[in-house]
Amino acid sequence: MLTFGWHNFCDMMNDTSPKPRILVAGGTGYIGSHTVVELIQSGYEVTIIDDLSNSNASVIEGIAEITGHRPDFVKCDCADFAAVDKVFSDNEDIKAVINFAAFKAVGESVQRPLAYYRNNLNIILNLLDSMTRHGVKGFVFSSSCTVYGQPDENPVTESSPVKKALSPYGNTKQIAEEIISDAITSGAALDAVILRYFNPVGAHPSSLIGEMPNGVPLNLVPYLTQAAIGIRKELSVFGDDYDTPDGTCIRDYIDITDLAKAHVCAIDRIMGGRMAAPMEVFNIGTGRGVSVRELIDTFQSATGVEVPHRIASRRAGDIAKVWADPTKANDVLGWHATVPLGDTLLNAWKWQLALRQRGIQ
Ligand code: WQD
């Protein structure tokens, strides 16, 4: 069976047949942009649709500089069906879709639940509707380990129980998975891969693309690097009285480039006709739980830079510990996490320095 990967890319360089085009919704965002880089470097053509509400078109320059190839870009509100459907009409060579487009701030989703449900669910409905109308089967959906809530045990497998979402954001991920499943049950012709991310961190080693949080970062690593460079006075460690070895929360921090490559493995699987069922679910994590304190220590060792920090009270909604069992992704997708956490955090630091050098942060 023809599989799609580096060797095919090399074959493809001599092949004049058109390269498969992948539509990446939300492709100028943090995870989307890193995935576009890996798709292009694996021989795919890419069209990005994004409304730039939480990202910047300059990311496309970074992608072009890294890969030597500029992806097509259409500024588009993915929650607007007509706009999405026009992209499919204008690009009849789209063979598969990856959806990253969503509002994604857990805390904000509690304040603005209707906006989150309207935006995130309209996007998934628009994409699936348009795919059906245009005969596009391949779909990769950006889901999250938040669907597991506080798991009864770790590591978490794909058959670990999905629990009631702890936020409207997490609920939109769960509902989206159900929408995809129900569409397939109704007879929709889909090859859908659901990737449940653990904690994406880091930046591309080139320091040309990375995470660009708007305002005060909500997530640990961008806040940590801003504290290390002096943008923030200090990092607050949200609680050291959890039921964990050092009292701080444990997570599975997955390097952003490793995570991006998981999407290429999913697209390769779909394009290679290797799906074992119309919908497949994979946990994308390292399989290693790391505490907040361990992450701070790893950052300081890898960079030689001190992180000013203090122990603060717990953050509402935080769970104590969650990390992945990535065996299924390893064995079925042929994907493995490869980047050591120290390298990931060094790349995050280099990216923070690059942002300062460009006067962006
Ligand atoms: C990690 C740990 C905090 C900030 C996020 C997304 C979720 C999903 C997974 C995509 C926790 C602690 C944080 C700070 C801290 N992603 N922390 N001080 O909450 O695990 O989940 O990634 O779907 O949607 O929200 O990530 O980085 O916010 O927190 O001590 O300033 O760091 O308590 O233990 P989280 P996070």
Short mmCIF file of all heavy atoms in Angstrom, two decimals, residues 106 144-146 169 198-200 218-220 223 235-238 249 251 253 292 315 318, ligand 1:
data_model
loop_
_atom_site.label_atom_id
_atom_site.label_comp_id
_atom_site.label_asym_id
_atom_site.label_seq_id
_atom_site.Cartn_x
_atom_site.Cartn_y
_atom_site.Cartn_z
N VAL A 106 -9.65 28.59 28.11
CA VAL A 106 -10.55 27.89 29.04
C VAL A 106 -11.30 28.88 29.93
O VAL A 106 -12.53 28.87 30.02
CB VAL A 106 -9.72 26.90 29.90
CG1 VAL A 106 -10.57 26.27 30.97
CG2 VAL A 106 -9.11 25.82 29.01
N SER A 144 -8.63 17.50 22.52
CA SER A 144 -7.84 17.85 23.70
C SER A 144 -7.98 16.82 24.81
O SER A 144 -9.03 16.19 24.95
CB SER A 144 -8.32 19.21 24.22
OG SER A 144 -7.83 19.45 25.51
N CYS A 145 -6.95 16.70 25.60
CA CYS A 145 -7.00 15.81 26.77
C CYS A 145 -8.01 16.33 27.80
O CYS A 145 -8.36 15.62 28.74
CB CYS A 145 -5.62 15.70 27.41
SG CYS A 145 -4.98 17.27 28.05
N THR A 146 -8.49 17.56 27.58
CA THR A 146 -9.50 18.09 28.53
C THR A 146 -10.77 17.24 28.50
O THR A 146 -11.56 17.28 29.43
CB THR A 146 -9.88 19.55 28.18
OG1 THR A 146 -10.14 19.64 26.79
CG2 THR A 146 -8.81 20.52 28.56
N TYR A 169 -15.21 25.54 26.82
CA TYR A 169 -14.19 25.24 25.80
C TYR A 169 -14.04 23.73 25.68
O TYR A 169 -14.15 23.17 24.58
CB TYR A 169 -12.85 25.87 26.16
CG TYR A 169 -11.69 25.23 25.42
CD1 TYR A 169 -11.43 25.54 24.10
CD2 TYR A 169 -10.89 24.27 26.05
CE1 TYR A 169 -10.40 24.93 23.40
CE2 TYR A 169 -9.86 23.65 25.36
CZ TYR A 169 -9.62 23.98 24.04
OH TYR A 169 -8.60 23.37 23.36
N PHE A 198 -2.18 16.67 24.50
CA PHE A 198 -1.94 16.96 25.91
C PHE A 198 -1.45 18.41 25.98
O PHE A 198 -2.15 19.27 25.40
CB PHE A 198 -1.07 15.84 26.52
CG PHE A 198 -1.95 14.64 26.78
CD1 PHE A 198 -2.50 13.93 25.71
CD2 PHE A 198 -2.33 14.29 28.06
CE1 PHE A 198 -3.39 12.88 25.92
CE2 PHE A 198 -3.21 13.22 28.29
CZ PHE A 198 -3.75 12.52 27.23
N ASN A 199 -0.33 18.73 26.57
CA ASN A 199 -0.02 20.16 26.68
C ASN A 199 1.02 20.60 25.65
O ASN A 199 2.21 20.37 25.85
CB ASN A 199 0.48 20.47 28.10
CG ASN A 199 -0.66 20.45 29.09
OD1 ASN A 199 -1.42 19.49 29.16
ND2 ASN A 199 -0.82 21.55 29.82
N PRO A 200 0.61 21.26 24.57
CA PRO A 200 1.56 21.69 23.54
C PRO A 200 2.47 22.80 24.06
O PRO A 200 1.97 23.79 24.62
CB PRO A 200 0.65 22.23 22.42
CG PRO A 200 -0.73 21.75 22.77
CD PRO A 200 -0.78 21.61 24.25
N LEU A 218 -2.08 32.68 29.49
CA LEU A 218 -2.81 31.84 30.46
C LEU A 218 -2.04 30.56 30.74
O LEU A 218 -2.13 29.98 31.80
CB LEU A 218 -4.19 31.50 29.89
CG LEU A 218 -5.09 32.72 29.61
CD1 LEU A 218 -6.35 32.29 28.88
CD2 LEU A 218 -5.43 33.43 30.91
N ASN A 219 -1.25 30.12 29.72
CA ASN A 219 -0.59 28.82 29.86
C ASN A 219 0.79 28.98 30.51
O ASN A 219 1.43 30.02 30.44
CB ASN A 219 -0.46 28.15 28.49
CG ASN A 219 -1.82 27.76 27.92
OD1 ASN A 219 -2.13 28.07 26.80
ND2 ASN A 219 -2.64 27.07 28.71
N LEU A 220 1.27 27.89 31.09
CA LEU A 220 2.48 27.91 31.91
C LEU A 220 3.71 28.38 31.16
O LEU A 220 4.40 29.32 31.58
CB LEU A 220 2.73 26.51 32.48
CG LEU A 220 4.04 26.33 33.26
CD1 LEU A 220 4.06 27.21 34.50
CD2 LEU A 220 4.23 24.87 33.65
N TYR A 223 4.02 32.06 29.97
CA TYR A 223 4.13 32.95 31.12
C TYR A 223 5.52 32.83 31.74
O TYR A 223 6.18 33.82 32.09
CB TYR A 223 3.05 32.65 32.18
CG TYR A 223 2.84 33.81 33.12
CD1 TYR A 223 1.71 34.62 33.02
CD2 TYR A 223 3.78 34.13 34.09
CE1 TYR A 223 1.53 35.71 33.85
CE2 TYR A 223 3.62 35.22 34.93
CZ TYR A 223 2.49 36.01 34.81
OH TYR A 223 2.33 37.11 35.63
N LEU A 235 6.62 34.31 37.95
CA LEU A 235 5.65 33.25 37.64
C LEU A 235 4.98 32.83 38.94
O LEU A 235 5.65 32.59 39.95
CB LEU A 235 6.37 32.04 37.04
CG LEU A 235 5.54 30.75 36.90
CD1 LEU A 235 4.48 30.90 35.81
CD2 LEU A 235 6.45 29.56 36.61
N SER A 236 3.66 32.80 38.94
CA SER A 236 2.92 32.26 40.10
C SER A 236 2.72 30.77 39.85
O SER A 236 2.17 30.39 38.80
CB SER A 236 1.56 32.94 40.24
OG SER A 236 1.73 34.32 40.46
N VAL A 237 3.18 29.97 40.77
CA VAL A 237 2.94 28.52 40.67
C VAL A 237 1.63 28.25 41.38
O VAL A 237 1.51 28.46 42.60
CB VAL A 237 4.10 27.73 41.34
CG1 VAL A 237 3.79 26.23 41.34
CG2 VAL A 237 5.41 28.02 40.60
N PHE A 238 0.62 27.82 40.60
CA PHE A 238 -0.74 27.73 41.16
C PHE A 238 -0.90 26.49 42.03
O PHE A 238 -1.50 25.50 41.65
CB PHE A 238 -1.77 27.71 40.03
CG PHE A 238 -1.82 28.98 39.23
CD1 PHE A 238 -2.02 28.94 37.85
CD2 PHE A 238 -1.67 30.22 39.84
CE1 PHE A 238 -2.07 30.11 37.10
CE2 PHE A 238 -1.71 31.39 39.10
CZ PHE A 238 -1.92 31.34 37.72
N CYS A 249 1.11 20.51 40.19
CA CYS A 249 0.36 19.71 39.21
C CYS A 249 1.27 19.05 38.18
O CYS A 249 2.33 19.58 37.86
CB CYS A 249 -0.62 20.61 38.45
SG CYS A 249 -1.92 21.31 39.46
N ARG A 251 1.57 17.43 34.29
CA ARG A 251 1.01 17.43 32.94
C ARG A 251 1.95 16.70 31.99
O ARG A 251 3.11 16.43 32.34
CB ARG A 251 0.84 18.89 32.44
CG ARG A 251 -0.15 19.73 33.22
CD ARG A 251 -1.57 19.27 32.98
NE ARG A 251 -2.55 20.15 33.63
CZ ARG A 251 -2.95 20.04 34.87
NH1 ARG A 251 -2.44 19.07 35.64
NH2 ARG A 251 -3.85 20.87 35.37
N TYR A 253 3.79 17.44 28.73
CA TYR A 253 4.16 18.56 27.86
C TYR A 253 4.75 18.03 26.56
O TYR A 253 5.81 17.41 26.56
CB TYR A 253 5.16 19.47 28.59
CG TYR A 253 4.55 20.14 29.80
CD1 TYR A 253 4.74 19.62 31.08
CD2 TYR A 253 3.72 21.25 29.67
CE1 TYR A 253 4.13 20.20 32.20
CE2 TYR A 253 3.12 21.84 30.77
CZ TYR A 253 3.32 21.31 32.03
OH TYR A 253 2.72 21.87 33.13
N VAL A 292 5.02 21.04 37.63
CA VAL A 292 5.36 22.44 37.36
C VAL A 292 6.77 22.72 37.88
O VAL A 292 7.59 23.32 37.19
CB VAL A 292 4.33 23.38 38.03
CG1 VAL A 292 4.75 24.84 37.85
CG2 VAL A 292 2.95 23.15 37.44
N ARG A 315 -5.37 27.42 41.09
CA ARG A 315 -6.22 28.05 40.06
C ARG A 315 -7.48 27.22 39.94
O ARG A 315 -7.41 25.99 39.79
CB ARG A 315 -5.48 28.11 38.72
CG ARG A 315 -6.28 28.68 37.57
CD ARG A 315 -5.43 28.84 36.32
NE ARG A 315 -5.02 27.54 35.78
CZ ARG A 315 -4.35 27.43 34.61
NH1 ARG A 315 -3.97 28.50 33.93
NH2 ARG A 315 -4.02 26.23 34.16
N ASP A 318 -8.26 23.68 37.82
CA ASP A 318 -7.07 22.86 37.53
C ASP A 318 -7.25 21.44 38.07
O ASP A 318 -7.78 21.26 39.16
CB ASP A 318 -5.82 23.47 38.17
CG ASP A 318 -5.17 24.49 37.26
OD1 ASP A 318 -5.44 24.47 36.05
OD2 ASP A 318 -4.39 25.32 37.76
C1 WQD B 1 -0.35 23.80 33.13
C2 WQD B 1 0.03 23.74 34.59
C3 WQD B 1 -1.29 25.15 36.03
C4 WQD B 1 0.09 28.95 34.43
C5 WQD B 1 -4.02 23.63 28.71
C6 WQD B 1 -5.20 24.13 27.99
C7 WQD B 1 -6.07 22.95 27.61
C8 WQD B 1 -5.27 21.92 26.83
C9 WQD B 1 -4.05 21.50 27.61
C10 WQD B 1 -5.54 22.28 24.45
C11 WQD B 1 -1.19 23.72 35.52
C12 WQD B 1 0.17 25.59 36.02
C13 WQD B 1 -0.10 27.60 34.64
C14 WQD B 1 0.71 29.74 35.43
C15 WQD B 1 0.95 27.78 36.79
N1 WQD B 1 -4.85 22.42 25.58
N2 WQD B 1 0.33 27.03 35.80
N3 WQD B 1 1.12 29.11 36.58
O1 WQD B 1 -4.44 24.10 32.16
O2 WQD B 1 -3.05 21.99 31.73
O3 WQD B 1 -4.38 23.03 29.92
O4 WQD B 1 -3.31 22.71 27.92
O5 WQD B 1 -6.57 21.84 24.23
O6 WQD B 1 -7.12 23.43 26.85
O7 WQD B 1 -5.86 25.00 28.85
O8 WQD B 1 -2.30 24.18 30.79
O9 WQD B 1 -0.37 25.67 30.78
O10 WQD B 1 -2.55 26.56 31.69
O11 WQD B 1 -1.28 24.87 33.00
O12 WQD B 1 1.33 27.24 37.84
O13 WQD B 1 0.91 30.98 35.30
O14 WQD B 1 0.76 24.93 34.93
O15 WQD B 1 -1.81 25.20 37.36
O16 WQD B 1 -0.90 22.88 36.61
P1 WQD B 1 -3.58 23.30 31.27
P2 WQD B 1 -1.62 25.42 31.53
#
